[in-house]
Amino acid sequence: MDPRFQELLLMYAQADNKTLQQEIENTLWAEFGTTRAVLVMDMSGFSRLTQKYGIVHYLSMVKRMQLTSQPIIEGLDGRVVKFEADNCFAWFSTVLPAIRAAIRLNTAFDAINRFTEDPFDIRVSIGIDYGDVLLTGEPDYFGDVVNTASKLGEDVAGPGEILVSERAFQQIPPQTGYTGKTITPLLAGVRIKAYSLDFSNHAP
């Protein structure tokens, strides 16, 4: 984490009044805040597979996921922020390349799975959101956008599913023709509107 970010966090924690805290928070956002599309991908069903086949099997599949995911994301001008357990956290400047990356990721794993036995198949679920985030230096980012994308990708989406928050879906250019089924999942006690993306007619 950036030393300046840590310094401001410490100042915020030690501030003795709300006015000073607000000033420090404003400085944090001014220096580290930006607007991004956030993609969070989760490997589906791996707790069960780990129990059945062991930790080495799990780790080998995580490594395959990482080797496949990173060039796809970077090839669309995205940035892998971190790999954490069987999750991939990434950001893009706009929503459309995040959508295209999500489709390419699903397509790539489907293609790989044709050549592996079922215990080695990789299936992923993906959440995408768009808005303000704090980029804190390697290896992390923070914000409501990250939390929403994470919950959509990890907790709500099923294998092979791409869930897009309403605010992210509104950023997709209409001429691209993307559509989705409306869903209203409950995230941390708050019901939000999102879309299960229909990408069956879109090339990766």
Side-chain angles (χ1 to χ4, degrees), residues 68 72 102-114 122 204:
T68 301
I72 290 174
I103 295 172
R104 289 186 186 181
L105 287 164
N106 271 296
T107 302
F109 289 121
D110 284 346
I112 293 169
N113 290 345
R114 295 192 187 109
I122 294 176

Side-chain angles (χ1 to χ4, degrees), residues 174-197:
Q175 64 270 25
T176 59
Y178 286 105
T179 60
K181 177 184 176 182
T182 302
I183 63 171
T184 55
L186 190 66
L187 305 184
V190 178
R191 196 163 297 280
I192 72 162
K193 185 177 180 181
Y195 297 87
S196 178
L197 194 71

Side-chain angles (χ1 to χ4, degrees), residues 10 15 77 109 137 142 145 167:
L10 180 60
D77 295 325
F109 289 121
F142 297 97
V145 175
R167 58 191 170 195

